[in-house]
Amino acid sequence: MGAAYMKNLIDNAWVDSHSGTTFENRNPARWNDCIGAFPASNVIDVDNAVRAARTAYSTWRLIPAPKRGEILRRAGDLLTQRKDDIARAMTREMGKPLFETRGDVQEAIDTAYYAASETRRLFGLNAPSELPDKMNLSFRVPIGVCGVITAWNFPLAVPSWKIFPALAAGNTVVFKTPTDAPHSPCLFAQCLIEAGLPPGVLNIIHGFGEECGGALVAHPGVDLIAFTGSTEVGKAISASASKTLKRVSLELGGKNAMIVMDDADQDLALEGVLWGAFGTTGQRCTATSRLIVHGTIHDAFIAKLCERARTLRLGDGMSPNTEVGPVINEKQLHSIARYVQIGKDEGAQCVLGGTPETSEEYKNGWFYKPTIFTGVLPVMRIAQEEIFGPVLSVIRASSLTQAIEILNGTMYGLSAAIYTRNVNAAMRAIRDIESGIVYINGPTIGAEAHMPFGGVKQTGNGHREGGWTAFDIFTEWKTVYIDYSGNLQKAQIDADRH
Ligand code: UN1
Protein backbone atom coordinates (compact mmCIF):
# COMPACT_ATOMS: atom_id res chain seq x y z
CA MET A 1 0.00 0.00 0.00
CA GLY A 2 2.66 2.47 -1.07
CA ALA A 3 2.63 6.20 -1.60
CA ALA A 4 1.55 5.77 -5.24
CA TYR A 5 -1.98 5.18 -3.98
CA MET A 6 -2.00 8.66 -2.52
CA LYS A 7 -1.93 10.48 -5.83
CA ASN A 8 -4.37 11.22 -8.59
CA LEU A 9 -4.92 8.58 -11.26
CA ILE A 10 -4.95 9.95 -14.79
CA ASP A 11 -4.44 7.75 -17.86
CA ASN A 12 -3.47 4.85 -15.59
CA ALA A 13 -0.57 6.82 -14.07
CA TRP A 14 -0.45 7.95 -10.45
CA VAL A 15 0.35 11.66 -10.63
CA ASP A 16 0.64 14.69 -8.35
CA SER A 17 -1.66 17.68 -8.47
CA HIS A 18 -0.80 20.91 -10.25
CA SER A 19 -1.88 22.74 -7.12
CA GLY A 20 1.21 21.52 -5.27
CA THR A 21 -0.87 21.43 -2.11
CA THR A 22 -2.05 18.43 -0.16
CA PHE A 23 -4.44 17.47 2.63
CA GLU A 24 -3.94 14.88 5.33
CA ASN A 25 -6.00 11.76 5.79
CA ARG A 26 -6.16 10.73 9.45
CA ASN A 27 -7.55 7.79 11.38
CA PRO A 28 -10.73 8.85 13.23
CA ALA A 29 -10.11 6.29 16.00
CA ARG A 30 -6.53 7.50 16.58
CA TRP A 31 -6.09 11.00 15.24
CA ASN A 32 -2.30 10.88 15.64
CA ASP A 33 -2.22 8.12 13.01
CA CYS A 34 -1.77 9.88 9.66
CA ILE A 35 -2.42 7.66 6.64
CA GLY A 36 -0.81 10.10 4.26
CA ALA A 37 -1.02 13.33 2.32
CA PHE A 38 -3.27 13.43 -0.74
CA PRO A 39 -3.26 16.02 -3.52
CA ALA A 40 -5.73 18.89 -3.16
CA SER A 41 -6.56 18.93 -6.84
CA ASN A 42 -7.57 22.03 -8.72
CA VAL A 43 -9.32 22.92 -11.93
CA ILE A 44 -6.27 21.98 -14.05
CA ASP A 45 -6.16 18.47 -12.61
CA VAL A 46 -9.87 18.11 -13.21
CA ASP A 47 -9.44 19.25 -16.79
CA ASN A 48 -6.61 16.76 -17.35
CA ALA A 49 -8.69 13.94 -15.95
CA VAL A 50 -11.70 14.88 -18.08
CA ARG A 51 -9.54 15.09 -21.21
CA ALA A 52 -8.11 11.64 -20.51
CA ALA A 53 -11.62 10.28 -20.02
CA ARG A 54 -12.84 11.95 -23.24
CA THR A 55 -10.02 10.47 -25.30
CA ALA A 56 -10.49 7.03 -23.77
CA TYR A 57 -14.23 7.20 -24.44
CA SER A 58 -13.73 7.13 -28.21
CA THR A 59 -12.27 3.61 -28.04
CA TRP A 60 -13.82 2.19 -24.85
CA ARG A 61 -17.37 2.64 -26.17
CA LEU A 62 -16.50 0.46 -29.18
CA ILE A 63 -15.20 -2.49 -27.17
CA PRO A 64 -17.91 -5.18 -27.18
CA ALA A 65 -19.83 -4.93 -23.91
CA PRO A 66 -19.12 -8.56 -22.85
CA LYS A 67 -15.38 -7.83 -23.29
CA ARG A 68 -15.76 -4.84 -21.00
CA GLY A 69 -17.58 -7.19 -18.64
CA GLU A 70 -14.57 -9.54 -18.56
CA ILE A 71 -12.43 -6.72 -17.17
CA LEU A 72 -15.04 -6.00 -14.52
CA ARG A 73 -15.19 -9.68 -13.59
CA ARG A 74 -11.40 -9.80 -13.20
CA ALA A 75 -11.58 -6.65 -11.06
CA GLY A 76 -14.14 -8.49 -8.92
CA ASP A 77 -11.69 -11.41 -8.58
CA LEU A 78 -8.89 -9.06 -7.49
CA LEU A 79 -11.14 -7.30 -5.00
CA THR A 80 -12.03 -10.73 -3.61
CA GLN A 81 -8.35 -11.63 -3.22
CA ARG A 82 -7.57 -8.30 -1.54
CA LYS A 83 -10.76 -8.01 0.48
CA ASP A 84 -9.04 -8.10 3.88
CA ASP A 85 -6.25 -5.68 2.97
CA ILE A 86 -8.67 -3.16 1.51
CA ALA A 87 -11.03 -3.55 4.48
CA ARG A 88 -8.15 -2.79 6.86
CA ALA A 89 -7.16 0.30 4.88
CA MET A 90 -10.78 1.40 4.92
CA THR A 91 -11.24 0.89 8.66
CA ARG A 92 -8.05 2.83 9.28
CA GLU A 93 -9.16 5.80 7.25
CA MET A 94 -12.87 6.03 8.08
CA GLY A 95 -13.36 4.05 11.26
CA LYS A 96 -16.14 1.53 10.79
CA PRO A 97 -15.36 -1.90 12.25
CA LEU A 98 -13.63 -4.51 10.11
CA PHE A 99 -16.71 -6.69 9.78
CA GLU A 100 -18.45 -3.67 8.22
CA THR A 101 -15.61 -2.66 5.92
CA ARG A 102 -15.39 -6.28 4.72
CA GLY A 103 -19.09 -5.91 3.87
CA ASP A 104 -18.35 -2.68 2.03
CA VAL A 105 -15.74 -4.40 -0.14
CA GLN A 106 -18.12 -7.34 -0.65
CA GLU A 107 -20.79 -4.96 -1.93
CA ALA A 108 -18.30 -3.71 -4.53
CA ILE A 109 -17.46 -7.32 -5.47
CA ASP A 110 -21.15 -8.19 -5.86
CA THR A 111 -21.64 -5.09 -8.00
CA ALA A 112 -18.62 -5.96 -10.19
CA TYR A 113 -19.99 -9.43 -10.94
CA TYR A 114 -23.53 -8.13 -11.38
CA ALA A 115 -22.46 -5.38 -13.81
CA ALA A 116 -20.26 -7.88 -15.67
CA SER A 117 -23.24 -10.19 -16.14
CA GLU A 118 -25.37 -7.29 -17.39
CA THR A 119 -22.91 -6.72 -20.25
CA ARG A 120 -24.44 -9.82 -21.86
CA ARG A 121 -27.93 -8.38 -21.48
CA LEU A 122 -28.24 -4.57 -21.63
CA PHE A 123 -31.50 -5.37 -23.40
CA GLY A 124 -33.01 -3.06 -25.94
CA LEU A 125 -36.69 -2.90 -26.88
CA ASN A 126 -38.18 -3.42 -30.32
CA ALA A 127 -41.69 -2.66 -31.47
CA PRO A 128 -43.53 -3.25 -34.75
CA SER A 129 -43.49 -0.45 -37.28
CA GLU A 130 -46.74 1.13 -38.42
CA LEU A 131 -45.45 0.82 -42.01
CA PRO A 132 -44.71 -2.31 -44.07
CA ASP A 133 -41.17 -3.56 -44.67
CA LYS A 134 -39.80 -1.44 -41.90
CA MET A 135 -38.19 -2.36 -38.60
CA ASN A 136 -38.14 -0.31 -35.39
CA LEU A 137 -35.44 -0.89 -32.81
CA SER A 138 -34.26 0.91 -29.72
CA PHE A 139 -31.18 0.17 -27.73
CA ARG A 140 -29.00 1.54 -24.98
CA VAL A 141 -25.87 3.55 -25.77
CA PRO A 142 -23.35 5.07 -23.38
CA ILE A 143 -23.57 8.73 -22.41
CA GLY A 144 -19.89 9.72 -22.45
CA VAL A 145 -17.79 10.98 -19.56
CA CYS A 146 -19.35 10.45 -16.12
CA GLY A 147 -18.30 12.47 -13.08
CA VAL A 148 -18.70 10.49 -9.86
CA ILE A 149 -18.70 12.16 -6.43
CA THR A 150 -19.42 10.12 -3.30
CA ALA A 151 -19.29 10.29 0.50
CA TRP A 152 -16.73 8.76 2.87
CA ASN A 153 -19.10 6.38 4.68
CA PHE A 154 -19.06 3.75 1.91
CA PRO A 155 -15.69 4.28 0.23
CA LEU A 156 -16.05 1.32 -2.17
CA ALA A 157 -19.66 0.13 -2.19
CA VAL A 158 -21.28 3.39 -3.25
CA PRO A 159 -18.73 4.40 -5.94
CA SER A 160 -18.91 0.84 -7.28
CA TRP A 161 -22.70 1.19 -7.76
CA LYS A 162 -21.95 4.04 -10.11
CA ILE A 163 -18.59 3.15 -11.66
CA PHE A 164 -19.19 -0.51 -12.59
CA PRO A 165 -22.48 0.05 -14.44
CA ALA A 166 -21.06 3.20 -16.05
CA LEU A 167 -18.06 1.27 -17.38
CA ALA A 168 -20.13 -1.78 -18.34
CA ALA A 169 -22.31 0.46 -20.50
CA GLY A 170 -19.27 1.96 -22.29
CA ASN A 171 -18.83 5.26 -20.45
CA THR A 172 -15.59 6.55 -19.01
CA VAL A 173 -15.33 8.00 -15.52
CA VAL A 174 -13.69 10.73 -13.45
CA PHE A 175 -14.15 9.92 -9.76
CA LYS A 176 -13.61 12.59 -7.12
CA THR A 177 -12.90 10.75 -3.90
CA PRO A 178 -14.16 11.89 -0.48
CA THR A 179 -11.49 13.82 1.48
CA ASP A 180 -12.16 11.69 4.57
CA ALA A 181 -11.64 8.41 2.70
CA PRO A 182 -9.43 8.84 -0.38
CA HIS A 183 -7.15 5.85 0.16
CA SER A 184 -9.33 2.77 -0.23
CA PRO A 185 -10.81 4.10 -3.51
CA CYS A 186 -7.25 4.09 -4.90
CA LEU A 187 -6.82 0.43 -3.95
CA PHE A 188 -10.13 -0.21 -5.72
CA ALA A 189 -8.90 1.59 -8.86
CA GLN A 190 -5.66 -0.39 -8.78
CA CYS A 191 -7.69 -3.61 -9.06
CA LEU A 192 -9.37 -2.27 -12.19
CA ILE A 193 -6.03 -1.29 -13.73
CA GLU A 194 -4.57 -4.72 -13.03
CA ALA A 195 -7.73 -6.29 -14.43
CA GLY A 196 -6.89 -4.66 -17.76
CA LEU A 197 -8.81 -1.39 -17.79
CA PRO A 198 -7.26 0.75 -20.56
CA PRO A 199 -5.72 4.16 -19.68
CA GLY A 200 -8.17 7.01 -19.15
CA VAL A 201 -11.25 4.84 -18.67
CA LEU A 202 -11.28 5.42 -14.90
CA ASN A 203 -9.53 8.50 -13.52
CA ILE A 204 -9.33 9.49 -9.88
CA ILE A 205 -8.89 12.96 -8.47
CA HIS A 206 -8.64 13.84 -4.82
CA GLY A 207 -9.63 17.17 -3.42
CA PHE A 208 -12.18 19.38 -1.78
CA GLY A 209 -15.80 19.76 -2.74
CA GLU A 210 -15.89 23.32 -3.94
CA GLU A 211 -12.64 23.52 -5.84
CA CYS A 212 -12.27 19.99 -7.17
CA GLY A 213 -15.83 18.63 -7.13
CA GLY A 214 -17.22 21.97 -8.27
CA ALA A 215 -14.87 22.05 -11.26
CA LEU A 216 -15.95 18.54 -12.25
CA VAL A 217 -19.64 19.45 -12.05
CA ALA A 218 -19.15 22.62 -14.10
CA HIS A 219 -16.84 21.06 -16.74
CA PRO A 220 -18.43 21.15 -20.20
CA GLY A 221 -16.64 17.90 -21.13
CA VAL A 222 -18.54 15.94 -18.48
CA ASP A 223 -21.86 14.52 -19.64
CA LEU A 224 -23.26 13.20 -16.38
CA ILE A 225 -22.79 13.68 -12.65
CA ALA A 226 -23.63 10.87 -10.24
CA PHE A 227 -23.52 12.13 -6.66
CA THR A 228 -24.11 10.63 -3.22
CA GLY A 229 -24.11 13.01 -0.28
CA SER A 230 -26.20 15.60 1.50
CA THR A 231 -29.40 17.09 0.13
CA GLU A 232 -27.92 20.56 0.47
CA VAL A 233 -24.89 19.75 -1.71
CA GLY A 234 -27.10 17.80 -4.10
CA LYS A 235 -29.19 20.90 -4.76
CA ALA A 236 -26.07 22.98 -5.43
CA ILE A 237 -24.76 20.33 -7.84
CA SER A 238 -28.07 20.19 -9.62
CA ALA A 239 -28.11 23.99 -10.05
CA SER A 240 -24.52 24.10 -11.35
CA ALA A 241 -24.96 21.12 -13.70
CA SER A 242 -28.11 22.61 -15.19
CA LYS A 243 -25.98 25.27 -16.89
CA THR A 244 -24.55 22.65 -19.22
CA LEU A 245 -27.69 20.45 -19.12
CA LYS A 246 -25.78 17.47 -17.76
CA ARG A 247 -27.70 14.50 -16.62
CA VAL A 248 -27.58 14.41 -12.82
CA SER A 249 -28.28 11.42 -10.60
CA LEU A 250 -28.59 12.28 -6.91
CA GLU A 251 -28.66 9.96 -3.89
CA LEU A 252 -29.15 12.25 -0.92
CA GLY A 253 -30.14 12.32 2.73
CA GLY A 254 -32.57 10.28 4.76
CA LYS A 255 -34.45 10.38 8.04
CA ASN A 256 -35.35 6.74 7.99
CA ALA A 257 -37.86 5.35 10.44
CA MET A 258 -38.63 1.93 11.82
CA ILE A 259 -42.16 1.20 13.08
CA VAL A 260 -42.54 -1.40 15.83
CA MET A 261 -46.15 -2.51 16.18
CA ASP A 262 -47.67 -4.04 19.33
CA ASP A 263 -47.78 -7.49 17.69
CA ALA A 264 -44.12 -7.43 16.62
CA ASP A 265 -41.51 -10.00 17.56
CA GLN A 266 -39.89 -7.62 20.01
CA ASP A 267 -36.55 -9.41 20.32
CA LEU A 268 -36.18 -9.35 16.56
CA ALA A 269 -37.13 -5.67 16.42
CA LEU A 270 -34.62 -4.93 19.16
CA GLU A 271 -31.75 -6.50 17.22
CA GLY A 272 -32.95 -4.66 14.12
CA VAL A 273 -33.00 -1.21 15.67
CA LEU A 274 -29.60 -1.66 17.32
CA TRP A 275 -28.06 -2.50 13.97
CA GLY A 276 -30.06 0.09 12.05
CA ALA A 277 -29.40 2.98 14.43
CA PHE A 278 -25.87 2.32 15.64
CA GLY A 279 -24.29 0.29 12.81
CA THR A 280 -21.70 2.46 11.01
CA THR A 281 -22.13 4.72 14.08
CA GLY A 282 -25.38 5.93 12.51
CA GLN A 283 -23.43 7.38 9.60
CA ARG A 284 -25.41 5.85 6.76
CA CYS A 285 -27.91 7.52 4.51
CA THR A 286 -30.06 4.48 5.32
CA ALA A 287 -29.52 4.62 9.12
CA THR A 288 -32.55 4.14 11.37
CA SER A 289 -32.70 7.57 12.96
CA ARG A 290 -36.36 7.46 14.05
CA LEU A 291 -38.06 4.68 15.96
CA ILE A 292 -41.86 4.81 15.98
CA VAL A 293 -43.18 2.51 18.69
CA HIS A 294 -46.75 1.50 19.40
CA GLY A 295 -47.89 3.02 22.71
CA THR A 296 -48.87 -0.26 24.37
CA ILE A 297 -45.34 -1.71 24.16
CA HIS A 298 -43.40 1.58 24.21
CA ASP A 299 -42.10 1.66 27.79
CA ALA A 300 -41.10 -2.00 28.03
CA PHE A 301 -39.46 -1.95 24.59
CA ILE A 302 -37.47 1.21 25.27
CA ALA A 303 -36.29 -0.14 28.62
CA LYS A 304 -34.95 -3.26 26.90
CA LEU A 305 -33.45 -1.20 24.08
CA CYS A 306 -31.53 1.06 26.46
CA GLU A 307 -30.30 -1.92 28.41
CA ARG A 308 -28.88 -3.50 25.23
CA ALA A 309 -27.60 -0.28 23.65
CA ARG A 310 -25.69 0.51 26.84
CA THR A 311 -23.60 -2.62 26.34
CA LEU A 312 -22.55 -1.86 22.75
CA ARG A 313 -18.76 -1.89 22.63
CA LEU A 314 -17.35 1.36 21.31
CA GLY A 315 -13.82 1.30 20.00
CA ASP A 316 -11.24 1.25 17.24
CA GLY A 317 -12.74 -0.64 14.32
CA MET A 318 -9.51 -2.65 14.00
CA SER A 319 -10.33 -4.48 17.22
CA PRO A 320 -12.44 -7.61 16.69
CA ASN A 321 -14.54 -6.74 19.78
CA THR A 322 -15.67 -3.35 18.51
CA GLU A 323 -19.34 -3.02 17.64
CA VAL A 324 -19.51 0.77 17.16
CA GLY A 325 -16.59 2.73 15.71
CA PRO A 326 -15.74 6.43 15.92
CA VAL A 327 -17.49 9.22 14.05
CA ILE A 328 -15.60 10.50 11.07
CA ASN A 329 -14.01 13.72 12.37
CA GLU A 330 -14.11 16.49 14.92
CA LYS A 331 -16.52 18.61 12.92
CA GLN A 332 -19.01 15.74 12.80
CA LEU A 333 -18.60 15.13 16.53
CA HIS A 334 -19.50 18.76 17.19
CA SER A 335 -22.42 18.61 14.80
CA ILE A 336 -23.81 15.55 16.66
CA ALA A 337 -23.30 17.28 20.01
CA ARG A 338 -25.16 20.30 18.68
CA TYR A 339 -28.13 18.15 17.64
CA VAL A 340 -28.20 16.50 21.06
CA GLN A 341 -28.39 19.95 22.64
CA ILE A 342 -31.16 20.92 20.22
CA GLY A 343 -33.08 17.77 21.22
CA LYS A 344 -32.76 18.65 24.89
CA ASP A 345 -33.79 22.24 24.27
CA GLU A 346 -36.82 21.02 22.31
CA GLY A 347 -37.93 19.08 25.37
CA ALA A 348 -37.11 15.51 24.39
CA GLN A 349 -35.64 13.21 27.08
CA CYS A 350 -32.13 11.94 26.53
CA VAL A 351 -32.39 8.49 28.12
CA LEU A 352 -29.03 7.10 26.95
CA GLY A 353 -25.67 8.56 25.97
CA GLY A 354 -25.77 12.21 24.98
CA THR A 355 -22.06 12.86 25.39
CA PRO A 356 -18.81 12.12 23.59
CA GLU A 357 -16.75 9.23 24.97
CA THR A 358 -13.54 10.84 26.22
CA SER A 359 -12.14 8.34 28.71
CA GLU A 360 -8.43 7.41 28.45
CA GLU A 361 -8.90 4.64 25.88
CA TYR A 362 -10.87 6.94 23.54
CA LYS A 363 -9.20 10.27 23.99
CA ASN A 364 -7.24 10.14 20.72
CA GLY A 365 -10.31 9.58 18.56
CA TRP A 366 -13.75 11.00 17.81
CA PHE A 367 -16.14 8.83 19.77
CA TYR A 368 -19.75 9.58 20.64
CA LYS A 369 -21.86 7.35 22.87
CA PRO A 370 -24.93 5.67 21.38
CA THR A 371 -27.71 8.11 22.23
CA ILE A 372 -31.46 7.63 22.58
CA PHE A 373 -34.11 10.32 22.92
CA THR A 374 -37.65 9.51 24.01
CA GLY A 375 -40.67 11.79 24.12
CA VAL A 376 -39.76 13.05 20.67
CA LEU A 377 -42.52 14.82 18.75
CA PRO A 378 -42.65 14.46 14.95
CA VAL A 379 -42.13 18.20 14.44
CA MET A 380 -38.92 18.41 16.46
CA ARG A 381 -35.70 19.04 14.56
CA ILE A 382 -34.20 15.77 15.87
CA ALA A 383 -37.16 14.03 14.20
CA GLN A 384 -36.82 15.93 10.94
CA GLU A 385 -33.14 16.56 10.16
CA GLU A 386 -30.45 14.11 9.19
CA ILE A 387 -27.96 13.92 12.09
CA PHE A 388 -25.54 11.33 10.61
CA GLY A 389 -24.46 9.98 13.98
CA PRO A 390 -25.46 7.48 16.68
CA VAL A 391 -28.60 9.32 17.75
CA LEU A 392 -32.02 7.65 17.75
CA SER A 393 -35.24 9.64 18.18
CA VAL A 394 -38.13 7.61 19.60
CA ILE A 395 -41.67 8.67 18.79
CA ARG A 396 -44.81 7.12 20.25
CA ALA A 397 -47.77 6.17 18.01
CA SER A 398 -51.17 4.75 18.85
CA SER A 399 -52.12 3.09 15.55
CA LEU A 400 -50.68 1.88 12.28
CA THR A 401 -52.27 4.80 10.44
CA GLN A 402 -50.69 7.31 12.79
CA ALA A 403 -47.32 5.52 12.68
CA ILE A 404 -47.26 5.66 8.87
CA GLU A 405 -48.32 9.30 8.91
CA ILE A 406 -45.41 10.13 11.22
CA LEU A 407 -43.03 8.03 9.13
CA ASN A 408 -44.06 9.91 5.97
CA GLY A 409 -43.86 13.33 7.63
CA THR A 410 -40.36 14.39 6.63
CA MET A 411 -38.85 15.83 3.46
CA TYR A 412 -36.91 12.59 2.91
CA GLY A 413 -37.94 9.16 1.66
CA LEU A 414 -35.07 6.70 1.35
CA SER A 415 -35.61 3.66 3.51
CA ALA A 416 -38.27 2.51 5.99
CA ALA A 417 -39.00 -0.54 8.12
CA ILE A 418 -41.91 -2.10 9.96
CA TYR A 419 -41.93 -4.93 12.47
CA THR A 420 -45.28 -6.66 12.69
CA ARG A 421 -46.67 -10.18 12.55
CA ASN A 422 -49.91 -8.95 11.05
CA VAL A 423 -49.86 -9.58 7.31
CA ASN A 424 -52.56 -7.00 6.65
CA ALA A 425 -50.60 -4.31 8.49
CA ALA A 426 -47.46 -5.23 6.54
CA MET A 427 -49.31 -4.99 3.24
CA ARG A 428 -50.77 -1.60 4.11
CA ALA A 429 -47.32 -0.37 5.10
CA ILE A 430 -45.86 -1.52 1.78
CA ARG A 431 -48.60 0.37 -0.02
CA ASP A 432 -48.67 3.59 2.03
CA ILE A 433 -45.09 4.25 3.10
CA GLU A 434 -43.45 6.97 1.01
CA SER A 435 -39.92 5.72 0.49
CA GLY A 436 -37.76 4.09 -2.15
CA ILE A 437 -37.06 1.03 0.01
CA VAL A 438 -39.33 -0.73 2.54
CA TYR A 439 -38.22 -3.53 4.85
CA ILE A 440 -40.70 -5.89 6.51
CA ASN A 441 -39.25 -7.33 9.73
CA GLY A 442 -35.77 -6.04 8.95
CA PRO A 443 -34.00 -2.75 9.77
CA THR A 444 -33.67 0.18 7.37
CA ILE A 445 -30.19 -0.89 6.23
CA GLY A 446 -29.18 -3.87 4.16
CA ALA A 447 -29.77 -3.01 0.52
CA GLU A 448 -28.49 -5.65 -1.91
CA ALA A 449 -26.36 -4.74 -4.90
CA HIS A 450 -28.69 -6.11 -7.57
CA MET A 451 -31.85 -4.30 -6.48
CA PRO A 452 -32.88 -0.69 -7.17
CA PHE A 453 -31.55 1.73 -4.55
CA GLY A 454 -32.72 5.28 -4.05
CA GLY A 455 -35.41 7.42 -2.51
CA VAL A 456 -38.37 9.67 -3.11
CA LYS A 457 -38.97 13.33 -2.22
CA GLN A 458 -35.78 15.24 -1.35
CA THR A 459 -33.72 12.07 -1.06
CA GLY A 460 -33.00 12.23 -4.77
CA ASN A 461 -34.15 13.20 -8.21
CA GLY A 462 -35.88 10.04 -9.30
CA HIS A 463 -32.99 7.77 -10.24
CA ARG A 464 -32.26 4.33 -8.82
CA GLU A 465 -28.77 2.91 -8.50
CA GLY A 466 -28.14 -0.77 -7.97
CA GLY A 467 -29.46 -3.52 -10.19
CA TRP A 468 -30.81 -3.07 -13.68
CA THR A 469 -32.11 0.43 -12.92
CA ALA A 470 -28.52 1.75 -12.71
CA PHE A 471 -28.39 1.32 -16.48
CA ASP A 472 -31.22 3.82 -16.83
CA ILE A 473 -28.84 6.37 -15.32
CA PHE A 474 -25.77 5.49 -17.33
CA THR A 475 -27.26 4.98 -20.80
CA GLU A 476 -29.19 6.91 -23.40
CA TRP A 477 -31.76 5.29 -25.66
CA LYS A 478 -31.09 5.33 -29.39
CA THR A 479 -34.04 4.63 -31.68
CA VAL A 480 -33.37 3.19 -35.13
CA TYR A 481 -35.83 2.88 -38.04
CA ILE A 482 -34.80 0.54 -40.87
CA ASP A 483 -36.85 0.88 -44.01
CA TYR A 484 -36.34 -2.03 -46.44
CA SER A 485 -39.35 -1.28 -48.67
CA GLY A 486 -37.31 0.60 -51.28
CA ASN A 487 -39.93 3.36 -51.18
CA LEU A 488 -40.22 6.67 -49.39
CA GLN A 489 -42.72 5.81 -46.66
CA LYS A 490 -44.14 8.62 -44.57
CA ALA A 491 -45.02 7.83 -40.97
CA GLN A 492 -48.43 9.09 -39.79
CA ILE A 493 -49.29 10.05 -43.38
CA ASP A 494 -48.86 6.82 -45.38
CA ALA A 495 -49.92 4.69 -42.44
CA ASP A 496 -53.48 5.81 -43.13
CA ARG A 497 -53.56 4.13 -46.53
CA HIS A 498 -52.92 0.53 -45.47
C1 UN1 B 1 -25.43 4.54 2.33
O1 UN1 B 1 -25.87 4.61 3.46
O2 UN1 B 1 -24.83 5.51 1.81
O3 UN1 B 1 -28.34 -0.67 2.69
C2 UN1 B 1 -25.53 3.30 1.51
C3 UN1 B 1 -27.30 -0.26 3.20
C4 UN1 B 1 -26.00 -0.39 2.44
C5 UN1 B 1 -25.77 0.81 1.60
C6 UN1 B 1 -25.91 2.11 2.32
N1 UN1 B 1 -26.01 -1.59 1.65
O4 UN1 B 1 -27.31 0.29 4.28
Side-chain angles (χ1 to χ4, degrees), residues 231 250-256 407-416 432-438 453-464:
T231 294
L250 301 172
E251 296 296 345
L252 309 175
K255 191 69 191 174
N256 316 290
L407 183 146
N408 288 342
T410 74
M411 71 173 191
Y412 298 112
L414 180 55
S415 181
D432 294 338
I433 283 175
E434 296 167 358
S435 69
I437 308 167
V438 179
F453 181 95
V456 300
K457 300 197 264 189
Q458 293 194 30
T459 287
N461 60 347
H463 294 286
R464 292 290 181 274

Side-chain angles (χ1 to χ4, degrees), residues 115-302:
S117 75
E118 270 299 327
T119 59
R120 285 191 183 269
R121 284 187 291 265
L122 286 175
F123 294 133
L125 285 166
N126 307 328
S129 170
E130 64 187 40
L131 292 161
D133 299 330
K134 194 179 164 197
M135 188 182 282
N136 295 357
L137 313 173
S138 70
F139 52 92
R140 294 180 185 276
V141 293
I143 291 184
V145 175
C146 301
V148 168
I149 305 174
T150 60
W152 50 266
N153 62 338
F154 279 86
L156 253 63
V158 170
S160 81
W161 294 351
K162 303 176 198 300
I163 293 170
F164 286 137
L167 299 181
N171 302 282
T172 57
V173 171
V174 177
F175 171 27
K176 188 205 93 68
T177 64
T179 44
D180 281 305
H183 188 208
S184 34
C186 294
L187 304 178
F188 164 84
Q190 185 61 28
C191 291
L192 273 153
I193 297 173
E194 287 176 38
L197 201 70
V201 174
L202 171 64
N203 306 277
I204 285 194
I205 44 173
H206 306 289
F208 293 99
E210 284 199 6
E211 192 179 13
C212 181
L216 187 61
V217 173
H219 201 296
V222 175
D223 303 289
L224 173 153
I225 294 288
F227 170 74
T228 295
S230 72
T231 294
E232 193 190 345
V233 175
K235 286 179 185 174
I237 285 178
S238 185
S240 168
S242 71
K243 297 196 184 102
T244 44
L245 291 181
K246 289 180 176 58
R247 181 180 294 199
V248 178
S249 166
L250 301 172
E251 296 296 345
L252 309 175
K255 191 69 191 174
N256 316 290
M258 173 193 289
I259 297 173
V260 183
M261 292 302 292
D262 48 356
D263 57 29
D265 177 337
Q266 289 190 35
D267 292 335
L268 189 67
L270 196 69
E271 291 310 309
V273 68
L274 285 168
W275 175 227
F278 303 121
T280 326
T281 324
Q283 303 171 109
R284 290 193 186 216
C285 54
T286 53
T288 307
S289 59
R290 294 180 295 153
L291 176 67
I292 304 168
V293 188
H294 195 281
T296 55
I297 58 160
H298 178 282
D299 293 356
F301 188 77
I302 299 306

